[in-house]
């Protein structure tokens, strides 16, 4: 009991005070501070074109490789077998000429037939009129009159079998349909022949080549384009901003861009260029909506590369020469 009382007295005398807190101190200073919104997204060229073809013919020459720079309207990217396409064009031209010639022949034949039918009808009419008079005078039998009447009826039906206007036979619509079909095939063959040489549609850099010589132009693995050209002189970032933060983001805001390719501590600048007028699903089962937003990289000689993922820090608000604390 005495030991217990002694212990309590010692604890009360020596350990009843609060614990000591040690802190670092510093002088309050002025500096720069910013409120940022950080979002990751892919880096891509400002303009991109997938080169495709619907021509079922083999590629005979491929003149570019990944990394090559091309000039719009000048650089020949590839050539598709012109001999095969020329043969298809010649066949289509022959079919078209044959359809036109067939219409002319059938129309001319029908016109001659119509004119003969008119002559036969006139002759049958005169014969019927003459025999009607003769029958009335008793010079011919009723059988002869009926024969003349039948011949006239046959001549009328023969004329009625033709569709004519103003003495000219109207051609069968089927002939025009055949010509139109042949014309479309000829135009398609001419277009394919013209497109056998594919020229760069935009200036930029070839970033993907998904084919090789000997492969059919319209049969690329996994339905990929023949090749892709991107304008890498200017780069963009495509980010998805949450609907809960988009109210703080607007075009013209400064952006600090970082990526592993730039190295530790390095960054590049950009600005918010545009914000989509509509949102879309975030995905992953979330009910949150996100708004596609485009960032333009403003560095003239960017160290970024299209196709990589970078982090964009959007400067929502900033202050300079204001009191700041280290934490």
């Amino acid at each position: 009991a005495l030991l217990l009382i002694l212990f309590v007295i010692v604890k009360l005398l020596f350990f009843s005070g609060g614990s000591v807190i040690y802190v670092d101190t510093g002088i309050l200073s002025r500096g720069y501070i910013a409120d940022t919104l950080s979002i990751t997204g892919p880096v891509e060229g400002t303009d991109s074109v997938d080169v495709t073809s619907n021509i079922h013919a083999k590629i005979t020459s491929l003149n570019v490789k990944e990394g090559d720079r091309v000039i719009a309207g000048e650089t020949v990217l590839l050539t598709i077998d012109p001999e095969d396409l020329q043969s298809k064009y010649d066949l289509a031209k022959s079919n078209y000429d044959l359809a036109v010639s067939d219409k002319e022949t059938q129309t001319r034949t029908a016109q001659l037939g119509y004119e003969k039918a008119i002559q036969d009808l006139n002759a049958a009419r005169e014969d019927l009129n003459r025999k009607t008079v003769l029958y009335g005078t008793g010079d011919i039998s009723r059988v002869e009159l009926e024969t003349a009447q039948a011949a006239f009826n046959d001549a009328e039906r023969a004329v009625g079998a033709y569709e004519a206007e103003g003495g000219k036979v109207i051609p069968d619509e089927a002939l025009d349909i055949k010509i139109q079909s042949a014309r479309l095939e000829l135009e398609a063959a001419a277009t394919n022949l013209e497109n056998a040489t594919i020229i760069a549609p935009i200036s930029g850099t070839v970033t993907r080549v998904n084919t090789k010589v000997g492969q059919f132009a319209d049969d690329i693995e996994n339905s990929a384009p023949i090749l892709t050209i991107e304008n890498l002189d200017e780069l963009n970032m495509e980010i998805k901003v949450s609907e809960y933060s988009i109210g703080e983001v607007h075009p013209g805001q400064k952006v600090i861009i970082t990526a592993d390719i730039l190295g530790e501590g390095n960054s590049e600048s950009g600005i918010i260029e545009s914000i989509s007028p509509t949102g879309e699903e975030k995905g992953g089962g979330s009910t949150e909506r996100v708004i596609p937003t485009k960032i333009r990289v403003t560095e003239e000689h960017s160290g970024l590369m299209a196709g990589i993922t970078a982090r964009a820090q959007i400067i929502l608000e900033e202050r300079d020469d204001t009191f700041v604390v280290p934490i």
Side-chain angles (χ1 to χ4, degrees), residues 80-294:
I80 301 172
D81 190 356
E83 293 184 4
D84 184 28
L85 297 177
Q86 184 66 52
S87 297
K88 292 178 180 179
Y89 173 81
D90 293 341
L91 178 60
K93 182 68 166 58
S94 296
N95 290 337
Y96 174 74
D97 292 341
L98 181 62
V100 172
S101 177
D102 188 39
K103 177 185 176 181
E104 293 175 351
T105 300
Q106 291 196 38
T107 301
R108 184 167 53 252
T109 301
Q111 183 66 35
L112 293 174
Y114 174 71
E115 292 173 356
K116 184 178 183 306
I118 291 293
Q119 291 176 355
D120 292 344
L121 177 62
N122 292 334
R125 180 183 292 109
E126 291 177 1
D127 185 56
L128 177 61
N129 292 337
R130 182 173 59 83
K131 288 185 176 180
T132 299
V133 173
L134 293 175
Y135 177 74
T137 60
D139 293 326
I140 63 172
S141 66
R142 183 173 183 82
V143 173
E144 290 179 287
L145 176 62
E146 290 177 349
T147 301
Q149 182 66 54
F152 175 76
N153 294 340
D154 290 342
E156 272 194 326
R157 283 193 293 270
V159 172
Y162 294 93
E163 186 178 359
E165 183 176 349
K168 296 294 183 182
V169 173
I170 299 174
D172 188 351
E173 290 184 0
L175 297 174
D176 289 327
I177 294 174
K178 185 177 180 180
I179 290 175
Q180 178 65 17
S181 177
R183 180 186 292 112
L184 292 176
E185 292 182 4
L186 177 60
E187 290 174 353
T191 300
N192 288 343
L193 185 59
E194 182 180 348
N195 293 337
T197 300
I198 299 180
I199 299 175
I202 65 170
S203 296
T205 302
V206 178
T207 56
R208 288 290 180 273
V209 176
N210 301 309
T211 190
K212 58 185 177 181
V213 173
Q215 190 169 1
F216 282 93
D218 64 342
D219 187 22
I220 308 302
E221 187 176 357
N222 298 324
S223 300
I226 296 175
L227 53 86
T228 300
I229 302 172
E230 292 187 68
N231 178 8
L232 303 181
D233 294 333
E234 295 182 4
L235 297 175
N236 285 337
M237 276 189 69
E238 185 80 28
I239 61 173
K240 311 288 186 181
V241 181
S242 168
E243 60 182 320
Y244 308 121
S245 303
I246 194 63
E248 300 178 282
V249 179
H250 56 80
Q253 281 178 316
K254 293 191 297 184
V255 180
I256 299 173
I257 302 170
T258 57
D260 291 340
I261 196 172
L262 298 177
E264 185 69 28
N266 296 322
S267 65
E268 294 191 358
S269 59
I271 61 169
I272 300 293
E273 186 169 67
S274 62
I275 300 173
S276 173
T278 58
E280 59 186 37
E281 293 183 359
K282 182 178 182 180
S286 173
T287 59
E288 181 183 355
R289 310 287 289 186
V290 292
I291 294 82
T293 302
K294 183 174 291 186

Side-chain angles (χ1 to χ4, degrees), residues 8-25:
V8 171
I9 292 173
V10 170
K11 184 172 179 62
L12 291 174
L13 289 176
F14 295 99
F15 299 99
S16 60
S19 57
V20 178
I21 301 176
Y22 294 93
V23 299
D24 292 327
T25 63

Side-chain angles (χ1 to χ4, degrees), residues 23-61:
V23 299
D24 292 327
T25 63
I27 304 299
L28 184 63
S29 61
R30 289 179 174 273
Y32 171 82
I33 191 171
D35 181 19
T36 63
L37 176 64
S38 183
I39 304 175
T40 59
V43 178
E44 54 191 20
T46 53
D47 195 9
S48 177
V49 170
D50 288 334
V51 177
T52 61
S53 175
N54 60 356
I55 301 176
H56 188 67
K58 291 183 178 180
I59 295 173
T60 54
S61 67

